[in-house]
């Protein structure tokens, strides 16, 4: 499966962005999906995850209450709505898929990755 992340850009602190992850090659309806991010000089970190049916969502403490992950299995899409953005949210954001259908916080548990989209939040 190929994953294509998009929707990043430059936004002022307090603003919003919506990231999209388009999957192709096969349906992701049975996969757990997640968003990770990586800032310069830092390790890739878990941001949010969603189970195959959207029934459960998980968030890093740093984004809880500000970010919302969702999916549309009919469209083979996953989204990350990011509100109240802060400069510390600046990073490259990646979407990832897990074939086992589980949401992991460790990046090395995932089977497929998108190419990343840059999010820059100015103060």
């Amino acid at each position: 499966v190929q994953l294509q992340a998009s929707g990043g850009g430059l936004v002022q602190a307090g603003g919003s962005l919506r990231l999209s992850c388009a999957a192709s090659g096969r349906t992701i309806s049975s996969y757990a999906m997640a968003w990770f991010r990586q800032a310069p000089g830092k390790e890739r970190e878990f941001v949010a995850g969603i189970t195959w049916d959207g029934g459960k969502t998980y968030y890093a403490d740093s984004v809880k209450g500000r970010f919302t992950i969702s999916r549309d299995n009919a469209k083979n899409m996953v989204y990350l709505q990011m509100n109240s953005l802060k400069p510390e949210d600046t990073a490259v954001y990646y979407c990832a898929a897990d074939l086992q259908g589980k949401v992991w916080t460790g990046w090395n548990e995932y089977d497929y990755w998108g190419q990343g989209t840059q999010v820059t939040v100015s103060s």
Side-chain angles (χ1 to χ4, degrees):
V1 63
Q2 291 79 45
L3 302 176
Q4 178 81 29
S6 63
L10 174 63
V11 64
Q12 287 189 330
S16 298
L17 282 174
R18 188 195 195 205
L19 304 184
S20 298
C21 177
S24 60
R26 67 171 72 175
T27 178
I28 59 169
S29 58
S30 62
Y31 300 170
M33 299 296 294
W35 287 94
F36 283 75
R37 67 187 181 187
Q38 188 166 18
K42 294 188 176 182
E43 290 194 356
R44 191 168 297 191
E45 65 173 357
F46 174 82
V47 175
I50 188 167
T51 52
W52 67 274
D53 61 349
K56 288 188 178 180
T57 56
Y58 304 85
Y59 298 93
D61 288 343
S62 59
V63 307
K64 209 170 286 184
R66 300 187 298 122
F67 291 11
T68 303
I69 188 171
S70 61
R71 67 189 298 162
D72 185 337
N73 286 340
K75 294 183 178 179
N76 239 20
M77 296 287 294
V78 180
Y79 307 98
L80 184 68
Q81 178 65 44
M82 306 187 295
N83 298 329
S84 302
L85 283 162
K86 304 175 180 180
E88 50 264 43
D89 294 318
T90 295
V92 177
Y93 284 70
Y94 300 89
C95 58
D98 178 78
L99 298 181
Q100 298 181 55
K102 295 183 178 181
V103 175
W104 310 91
T105 57
W107 65 268
N108 56 347
E109 299 287 350
Y110 289 80
D111 302 288
Y112 297 105
W113 289 87
Q115 86 293 354
T117 185
Q118 176 71 47
V119 171
T120 303
V121 184
S122 63
S123 57

